[in-house]
Amino acid sequence: MSDSLLKVEDLVIHFETEDGTVEAVNGINIELAKGRTLGLVGETGAGKTTTALSLLKLVPTPPGVVKFGRIHLDGVDVMNTSEKDMEKLRGNIVSMIFQDPMTALNPVITVGDQIAEAIMIHQKVSVAEANEKAKEMLEIVGIPGARSGEFPHQFSGGMKQRVVIAIALSCSPKLLIADEPTTALDVTIQAQVLELMKDLKIKYEMAMLLITHDLGVVAEVCDDVAIMYAGRVVEQGSLREIFKNTKHPYTEGLFNSIPNIDSRKAELKPIRGLMSDPYNLPKGCTFCDRCDYALEICKTEKPKRIDFSETHFSECHLYNDSLDFQLDINKTED
Amino acid sequence: MAEKLIEVKNLKKYFDTPKGKLHAVDGVNFSIEKGKTLGLVGESGCGKSTTGRVILRLLDATDGEIIYKGQDIRQLDDKQMRELRKELQIIFQDPFSSLDPRMTVSEIIEEPIKLNKLIANPEQRFERVLELMDLVGLSRRLMNTYPHELDGGRRQRIGIARALALNTQFIICDEPVSALDVSIQAQILNLMKDLQKKLGLTYVFITHDLSVVNHFSDDIAVMYLGKLIEKASSEDLFENPIHPYTKALLSAIPRPSLDNKVEKVILKGEITSPINPRNNCRFANRCNFAEDVCRQSEPKLEEVKPGHFVACHLFKE
């Protein structure tokens, strides 16, 4: 991990509302090397999107407050960068794809102009050159360049998402943040778009931060995985470590909740209860009231980070005494 | 042979659009036995939700028969239909927009009982509401809360309680878990399965998520552009899919596992327009195996082995 492109340290973000303070992100550390893909996995409200937005300084303020933390992006200290300089970064070094392609595009501007706009902001090119480049970008994502004069409503959901990807990639960013890029799409179209993103990632040697709740998508695209729960990364490791050597009970719960397509006999074991209220997080481990393994200590003390390998860590009290403790999911697989 | 609770014959629903007739549902046949679940699967725009709505007469069918307990419900007048609606219910996809934001949880669940004059006595009615809340696992203290105070999973439980409030026997579940997080999704799926066992319910489970139907359904019907293209028992469909579209659909699901990776069939293009479809196989232009015959005539849904139906020209040879 020498070629660090993105480094986030101790990030804390709160939303201060009239009803109280929402502790959305509570101390996150992420490191991403060039050309790697990190999957940020978690449920609604885990703080995935807030984390991603903070990388581009896009957290709405107020009510959002970045309490603490350092973010280094391609050598730039994001926290101490002016809004004007951030604009140079956005769309150029870092691009973001949002979940919903239906609302991410401007309905009254042709898709070609929307791509050209991004190019003209960041590169000194003429309008004609930008339009030419826009057509090229459309071809790259698999849409005939001749359709650049059409409006978003003339495209289907999958094609709109391709247009959004074309905009995001138009300035060859070093980092692409994709926030649930395929969630709104049908499975067959999702397969097409994921394939496209994998190809483009290799072609442009781009790093990617993929935010998703779908462990299936993670298995296909990511090199590393970070599991988020209530504003913290509770487990992080390589794809293999997370899938084959699961350490955190929440990660185990996620795997058990997914209907297994290859065996219909397998019983669904949902995680009981709900995620803790972010207005009022428990004092100890945030997952303890849903955890089947919970110990006394879990209620009162926050778990510390425990390293299993250079890349794999988890925050859980179960391993305080011995790293050899095994969750049920690992036992049954043998 | 168990009794057929519902049988749908040659069901059609066309919509008039400025560009021509939109064939949303185009000759669909299936039947479901009491206490069983039929999974209706397909991509957006294939007509699966419309099928669900037409069956309940929330939309009027263009043609076909819907035989519920031996009578064609398309022939019933409004009064008879109102009576029958007590048995036929629907659970919607979006638990955020399907509940009245200005009613409390208990009012929402009570409403259908009140409207259908099922229980006249307010106290007994209230008892019934509490009973329903227990049944779907909503704690009684939530009785006076409003939907916006609750999360998606709990809201969907309200939707289920409401669907069960009458003498429900048959429920159309239109993507009931698609809007929920996986951990909550599993809770709701387990609940629906338990309720089916307990109350002998019959479900049509509409979804785009094949892994969910596999878990849930006895039979699965795959829809493409208004037509059923393959129908079989869940096990059979997942083990031996025959139609090229079903195969592609199965292989496209991202699997949360590092082992036994399935060879992906990536489909070309997208679903074509359902407006004035031509008389050929509707999947032909995306199919990797399409031959001339596929572009010339429309394949019929035929039984290729006991209980397994497929509409594909290529399989005949």
Side-chain angles (χ1 to χ4, degrees):
Chain A
M1 289 249 177
S2 53
D3 276 347
S4 170
L5 178 69
L6 169 71
K7 194 167 184 188
V8 178
E9 290 170 281
D10 301 324
L11 185 68
V12 178
I13 303 172
H14 289 177
F15 289 96
E16 290 173 353
T17 68
E18 280 176 17
D19 300 331
T21 302
V22 180
E23 299 172 21
V25 176
N26 306 308
I28 276 193
N29 296 285
I30 296 175
E31 204 171 341
L32 185 56
K34 275 179 192 151
R36 302 277 286 183
T37 300
L38 173 70
L40 205 54
V41 182
E43 290 173 80
T44 320
K48 313 182 293 270
T49 302
T50 307
T51 306
L53 288 175
S54 72
L55 303 182
L56 288 173
K57 253 190 164 174
L58 288 174
V59 176
T61 312
V65 187
V66 179
K67 284 278 191 196
F68 193 73
R70 278 187 299 268
I71 299 171
H72 288 276
L73 225 176
D74 195 33
V76 179
D77 178 4
V78 172
M79 285 296 136
N80 296 315
T81 305
S82 68
E83 186 57 29
K84 209 173 159 202
D85 290 333
M86 277 312 293
E87 278 174 16
K88 289 181 194 151
L89 220 62
R90 293 177 196 140
N92 197 13
I93 309 286
V94 192
S95 281
M96 188 153 178
I97 303 175
F98 295 93
Q99 172 169 2
D100 189 355
M102 321 297 160
T103 54
L105 295 171
N106 187 332
V108 294
I109 300 179
T110 65
V111 297
D113 285 351
Q114 295 193 49
I115 302 173
E117 184 188 5
I119 299 169
M120 282 192 293
I121 288 173
H122 294 295
Q123 296 171 4
K124 286 201 172 87
V125 291
S126 70
V127 178
E129 279 169 326
N131 283 334
E132 209 40 56
K133 180 85 196 292
K135 279 184 193 161
E136 266 171 49
M137 288 312 299
L138 278 178
E139 297 277 353
I140 288 172
V141 296
I143 298 174
R147 295 192 68 179
S148 70
E150 292 182 16
F151 292 91
H153 75 268
Q154 291 168 289
F155 293 86
S156 65
M159 290 183 112
K160 272 186 227 166
Q161 194 59 294
R162 284 164 192 264
V163 173
V164 174
I165 294 175
I167 295 174
L169 298 184
S170 59
C171 296
S172 314
K174 292 181 181 169
L175 172 65
L176 179 67
I177 302 172
D179 189 357
E180 307 259 10
T182 58
T183 307
L185 307 176
D186 279 315
V187 273
T188 58
I189 308 299
Q190 167 170 292
Q192 290 174 357
V193 171
L194 287 179
E195 204 60 29
L196 172 73
M197 288 175 64
K198 272 195 275 185
D199 290 348
L200 293 175
K201 192 183 91 182
I202 296 166
K203 195 168 166 189
Y204 290 99
E205 294 179 327
M206 192 169 62
M208 194 152 78
L209 183 66
L210 180 75
I211 299 173
T212 181
H213 64 274
D214 188 337
L215 284 165
V217 171
V218 169
E220 263 171 41
V221 187
C222 298
D223 306 309
D224 304 295
V225 188
I227 309 281
M228 274 189 87
Y229 187 80
R232 282 193 78 84
V233 174
V234 293
E235 182 169 5
Q236 185 170 350
S238 69
L239 187 63
R240 202 170 174 79
E241 285 164 334
I242 298 289
F243 277 67
K244 287 290 180 188
N245 192 15
T246 310
K247 289 297 183 196
H248 199 281
Y250 177 64
T251 316
E252 179 190 42
L254 282 182
F255 279 112
N256 284 339
S257 302
I258 310 169
N260 185 337
I261 186 133
D262 298 312
S263 120
R264 67 185 250 109
K265 295 287 170 286
E267 189 195 346
L268 287 188
K269 281 181 272 174
I271 306 172
R272 64 193 149 86
L274 300 165
M275 179 136 62
S276 308
D277 185 357
Y279 282 107
N280 190 10
L281 289 177
K283 204 166 125 238
C285 171
T286 47
F287 187 61
C288 85
D289 52 347
R290 300 178 77 186
C291 180
D292 289 331
Y293 301 91
L295 309 168
E296 265 317 300
I297 185 174
C298 301
K299 289 181 196 142
T300 51
E301 257 181 67
K302 290 238 180 288
K304 287 199 182 64
R305 169 178 168 150
I306 293 182
D307 290 285
F308 298 97
S309 74
E310 251 176 63
T311 50
H312 192 188
F313 73 83
S314 171
E315 288 185 344
C316 183
H317 284 304
L318 293 174
Y319 304 96
N320 286 355
D321 298 332
S322 159
L323 294 185
D324 296 331
F325 182 85
Q326 288 293 328
L327 297 177
D328 293 340
I329 194 169
N330 299 329
K331 289 176 193 158
T332 48
E333 267 188 16
D334 295 331
Chain B
M1 189 74 181
E3 69 172 302
K4 280 180 194 164
L5 185 79
I6 192 160
E7 185 169 15
V8 171
K9 286 186 189 166
N10 196 27
L11 190 69
K12 287 184 184 167
K13 175 66 191 173
Y14 297 165
F15 292 100
D16 282 318
T17 70
K19 287 182 192 156
K21 284 242 186 291
L22 189 152
H23 295 222
V25 181
D26 206 357
V28 164
N29 295 289
F30 60 77
S31 63
I32 313 170
E33 290 166 13
K34 196 170 166 19
K36 300 277 184 188
T37 303
L38 174 78
L40 199 56
V41 192
E43 293 176 82
S44 8
C46 74
K48 51 190 196 305
S49 289
T50 308
T51 306
R53 271 150 222 240
V54 169
I55 293 173
L56 295 187
R57 277 186 65 183
L58 297 176
L59 287 169
D60 269 318
T62 308
D63 194 15
E65 292 170 61
I66 305 155
I67 298 162
Y68 177 76
K69 289 187 175 168
Q71 57 178 342
D72 185 356
I73 63 172
R74 284 191 67 210
Q75 309 301 331
L76 301 180
D77 61 32
D78 285 357
K79 208 175 150 203
Q80 290 168 313
M81 195 60 214
R82 205 173 308 135
E83 203 50 40
L84 197 62
R85 286 205 190 285
K86 292 176 191 166
E87 296 183 13
L88 310 175
Q89 290 293 326
I90 184 163
I91 300 170
F92 293 100
Q93 168 169 9
D94 187 355
F96 295 86
S97 60
S98 56
L99 302 174
D100 187 333
R102 296 207 277 187
M103 287 167 87
T104 63
V105 173
S106 64
E107 282 167 355
I108 291 172
I109 302 174
E110 190 184 12
E111 194 184 26
I113 309 174
K114 222 168 167 176
L115 286 180
N116 284 288
K117 303 191 179 75
L118 225 58
I119 303 170
N121 180 331
E123 272 160 37
Q124 284 174 0
R125 202 160 56 213
F126 187 63
E127 271 307 305
R128 173 71 179 147
V129 170
L130 292 180
E131 206 181 290
L132 284 162
M133 288 180 72
D134 292 345
L135 190 65
V136 299
L138 276 171
S139 89
R140 291 185 175 198
R141 72 186 160 82
L142 298 173
M143 207 164 63
N144 294 320
T145 54
Y146 288 89
H148 76 265
E149 298 175 68
L150 304 175
D151 62 284
R154 288 215 179 99
R155 275 185 247 200
Q156 201 56 293
R157 284 175 198 267
I158 301 174
I160 296 171
R162 196 174 149 93
L164 295 174
L166 308 171
N167 307 316
T168 312
Q169 305 201 9
F170 176 73
I171 305 182
I172 301 260
C173 316
D174 191 356
E175 306 257 18
V177 295
S178 307
L180 308 175
D181 279 317
V182 274
S183 69
I184 308 298
Q185 185 174 328
Q187 292 176 0
I188 299 292
L189 286 174
N190 282 350
L191 169 69
M192 291 179 66
K193 231 174 173 173
D194 288 346
L195 290 172
Q196 179 169 41
K197 257 186 240 152
K198 230 183 265 176
L199 307 171
L201 302 170
T202 308
Y203 290 140
V204 170
F205 200 95
I206 298 173
T207 181
H208 67 277
D209 188 341
L210 278 158
S211 43
V212 171
V213 273
N214 184 25
H215 204 83
F216 208 85
S217 314
D218 300 291
D219 293 311
I220 295 179
V222 183
M223 258 185 113
Y224 191 81
L225 277 178
K227 297 258 182 202
L228 292 190
I229 53 133
E230 185 160 4
K231 193 174 67 172
S233 72
S234 296
E235 282 149 64
D236 206 17
L237 191 95
F238 275 83
E239 273 162 35
N240 312 303
I242 293 173
H243 199 286
Y245 177 65
T246 313
K247 284 183 184 166
L249 208 55
L250 286 176
S251 81
I253 306 164
R255 284 172 166 68
S257 150
L258 298 182
D259 312 312
N260 52 47
K261 276 280 161 204
V262 183
E263 180 76 21
K264 271 212 185 309
V265 187
I266 304 248
L267 287 176
K268 298 172 286 191
E270 308 186 10
I271 206 158
T272 45
S273 163
I275 296 173
N276 297 333
R278 283 186 298 147
N279 200 15
N280 56 7
C281 173
R282 294 190 181 178
F283 183 59
N285 63 340
R286 292 177 80 188
C287 182
N288 294 330
F289 307 97
E291 291 173 6
D292 286 344
V293 58
C294 306
R295 297 185 193 92
Q296 281 150 9
S297 72
E298 195 179 314
K300 295 232 163 4
L301 193 67
E302 285 170 34
E303 191 160 15
V304 293
K305 57 184 168 181
H308 198 142
F309 297 81
V310 179
C312 180
H313 284 304
L314 302 176
F315 191 70
K316 282 180 203 154
E317 287 132 43

